[in-house]
């Protein structure tokens, strides 16, 4: 179980089922964490500014402001600490390469998300 360094998580996905599944998996791995959920890019930016999460799960295909733009805006808003961002998407080849080349993300999870992959990434980021 991960604890201590990880107090708040923001999950951004327009699909409520995906948000639910990620929340359920994270709660099995991380103890004493607050999870906020956003269904679009504008809400994601609002939550980022108001809660300063310790980790963000970001879907790329959002209905209004897409994940690429949200990630770029988050990186521009950061002043001291860099927030780990894990992209969740079904289009790995183009999404991951673009974001990693610009050094904007910390990890990538392909949908459907598998528990063992999620746990391995969290262990890598927080240990």
């Amino acid at each position: 179980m991960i604890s201590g360094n990880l107090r708040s998580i923001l999950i951004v996905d327009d699909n409520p089922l995906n948000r639910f599944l990620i929340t359920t998996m994270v709660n099995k791995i991380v103890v004493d964490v607050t999870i906020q959920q956003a269904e679009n890019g504008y809400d994601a930016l609002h939550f980022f500014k108001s809660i300063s999460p310790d980790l963000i799960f970001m879907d790329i295909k959002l209905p209004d402001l897409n994940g690429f733009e949200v990630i770029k805006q988050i990186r521009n808003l950061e002043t001291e600490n860099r927030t780990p961002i894990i992209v969740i998407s079904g289009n790995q080849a183009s999404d991951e390469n673009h974001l990693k080349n610009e050094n904007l993300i910390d990890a990538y999870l392909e949908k459907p998300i598998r528990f063992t992959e999620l746990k391995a990434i969290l262990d890598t980021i927080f240990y």
Side-chain angles (χ1 to χ4, degrees), residues 24-36:
T24 301
M25 286 190 254
V26 165
N27 280 324
K28 291 181 180 187
I29 301 168
V30 183
V31 296
D32 297 326
V33 67
T34 301
I35 299 176
Q36 295 291 335

Side-chain angles (χ1 to χ4, degrees), residues 106-124:
D106 299 274
Y108 179 91
L109 279 171
E110 186 173 0
K111 292 179 184 178
I113 296 171
R114 292 166 192 80
F115 181 82
T116 54
E117 293 172 4
L118 173 63
K119 184 172 182 334
I121 287 173
L122 291 177
D123 286 343
T124 300

Side-chain angles (χ1 to χ4, degrees), residues 87-103:
V87 164
I88 48 176
S89 180
N91 188 12
Q92 181 176 8
S94 64
D95 292 344
E96 179 183 18
N97 290 335
H98 173 75
L99 293 165
K100 280 193 173 180
N101 287 341
E102 292 189 27
N103 195 31

Side-chain angles (χ1 to χ4, degrees), residues 54-108:
D54 299 311
L55 173 67
I56 300 171
F57 288 93
M58 179 69 65
D59 185 20
I60 293 300
K61 309 291 188 239
L62 297 172
D64 53 4
L65 189 62
N66 72 45
F68 292 120
E69 285 302 315
V70 176
I71 291 168
K72 287 178 184 177
Q73 288 189 38
I74 286 171
R75 294 297 182 223
N76 287 332
L77 290 168
E78 292 175 321
T79 55
E80 294 178 21
N81 298 326
R82 179 183 161 100
T83 305
I85 297 176
I86 300 172
V87 164
I88 48 176
S89 180
N91 188 12
Q92 181 176 8
S94 64
D95 292 344
E96 179 183 18
N97 290 335
H98 173 75
L99 293 165
K100 280 193 173 180
N101 287 341
E102 292 189 27
N103 195 31
L104 296 173
I105 65 170
D106 299 274
Y108 179 91

Side-chain angles (χ1 to χ4, degrees), residues 10 12 38 40-49 58 70 74:
L10 175 59
V12 184
N40 62 59
Y42 294 111
D43 287 347
L45 288 171
H46 169 74
F47 278 120
F48 177 78
K49 292 173 188 175
M58 179 69 65
V70 176
I74 286 171

Side-chain angles (χ1 to χ4, degrees), residues 12-26:
V12 184
D13 196 307
D14 60 322
N15 185 322
L17 180 58
N18 289 337
R19 293 192 310 269
F20 172 78
L21 292 173
I22 296 167
T23 299
T24 301
M25 286 190 254
V26 165

